[in-house]
C-alpha cells in the first residue's frame, strides 16, 4: 500500500531531522557555552521540563522529547535506564491501567504519535526481558510499549 509506504517515509524523514537537530543543538551548546557545567545545566533543565510535562500529561513537542532523550542517552546509552524513560514508562502504564478519557486522549494524540517508539533502547540482548532468537527486534522502544499493554 502506497499510503503506508509514504507514512513510513515521512516518519523516517522526521526521525532523521530530529537526529540532525539534536546534533546541531549539541554543537551550538558547545560553541556558545564553553563551561561544561553551564551546558549540563541547560540540558538538565530541558530534560526536567520534559519530565514534568510527561508526568502532568500535557501537550508537548515531539522534537523536544526526542532532543531530551538524546541528551539523556549521551550520559546513559541504555534509554530504559534514563530518568526520562522511567517517567514515560510510568505515565504510560498509568494511562493503560487506570487512565480516564482525558488521559487516553493525551496518550493517543501525543505519546502514541511520538517518534520515540522507533528509537533503539540501547539494551543488550541479555538486558532484554526475553532472550530469544529475535531479541534484537525487542531493542526498539515500540516493543517496550507492547510490553506495557500485556
Amino acid at each position: 500500500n502506497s499510503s503506508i509506504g509514504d507514512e513510513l517515509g515521512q516518519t523516517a524523514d522526521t526521525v532523521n531531522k530530529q537526529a540532525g537537530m539534536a546534533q546541531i543543538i549539541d554543537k551550538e551548546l558547545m560553541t556558545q557555552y564553553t563551561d561544561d557545567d553551564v551546558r549540563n545545566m541547560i540540558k538538565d533543565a530541558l530534560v526536567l521540563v520534559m519530565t514534568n510535562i510527561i508526568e502532568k500529561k500535557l501537550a508537548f513537542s515531539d522534537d523536544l522529547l526526542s532532543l531530551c532523550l538524546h541528551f539523556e542517552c549521551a550520559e546513559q546509552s541504555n534509554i530504559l535506564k534514563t530518568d526520562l524513560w522511567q517517567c514515560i514508562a510510568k505515565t504510560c502504564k498509568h494511562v493503560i491501567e487506570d487512565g480516564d478519557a482525558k488521559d487516553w486522549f493525551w496518550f493517543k494524540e501525543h505519546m502514541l504519535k511520538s517518534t520515540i517508539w522507533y528509537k533503539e533502547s540501547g539494551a543488550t540482548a541479555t538486558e532484554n526481558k526475553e532472550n530469544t532468537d529475535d531479541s534484537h527486534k525487542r531493542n526498539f522502544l515500540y516493543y517496550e510499549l507492547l510490553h506495557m499493554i500485556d
Side-chain angles (χ1 to χ4, degrees):
N1 193 337
S2 67
S3 65
I4 292 173
D6 292 343
E7 190 174 324
L8 285 173
Q10 289 173 350
T11 300
D13 287 345
T14 299
V15 169
N16 288 331
K17 286 176 187 176
Q18 288 173 337
M21 177 191 68
Q23 290 176 348
I24 289 168
I25 290 172
D26 264 343
K27 184 178 178 182
E28 284 304 306
L29 283 173
M30 295 276 287
T31 302
Q32 298 297 319
Y33 303 99
T34 56
D35 185 342
D36 286 344
D37 291 338
V38 173
R39 277 196 312 274
N40 289 334
M41 186 174 69
I42 292 168
K43 292 177 181 181
D44 290 347
L46 287 172
V47 171
L48 180 61
V49 166
M50 181 53 64
T51 301
N52 289 336
I53 287 170
I54 299 290
E55 282 178 350
K56 295 176 183 176
K57 299 182 212 90
L58 301 173
F60 61 87
S61 159
D62 191 45
D63 291 338
L64 182 57
L65 176 58
S66 180
L67 177 65
C68 289
L69 279 173
H70 170 82
F71 289 157
E72 290 263 276
C73 289
E75 295 177 18
Q76 168 58 261
S77 62
N78 183 341
I79 289 177
L80 304 180
K81 293 183 178 180
T82 65
D83 291 340
L84 181 54
W85 172 257
Q86 294 298 315
C87 173
I88 291 167
K90 179 181 173 186
T91 305
C92 289
K93 285 178 189 174
H94 173 265
V95 172
I96 291 165
E97 293 171 1
D98 197 32
D100 60 20
K102 183 179 172 187
D103 293 340
W104 277 99
F105 180 82
W106 171 84
F107 185 69
K108 179 183 163 221
E109 292 299 313
H110 298 285
M111 286 311 304
L112 285 181
K113 290 182 179 181
S114 175
T115 59
I116 66 164
W117 307 112
Y118 297 96
K119 291 186 180 293
E120 291 187 65
S121 69
T124 64
T126 56
E127 291 173 316
N128 282 336
K129 293 173 179 66
E130 298 174 24
N131 195 3
T132 62
D133 290 337
D134 66 324
S135 63
H136 66 283
K137 294 179 185 176
R138 291 179 177 25
N139 281 345
F140 289 94
L141 293 181
Y142 170 77
Y143 291 99
E144 293 298 319
L145 176 63
L146 291 180
H147 242 338
M148 289 178 209
I149 296 170
D150 281 345

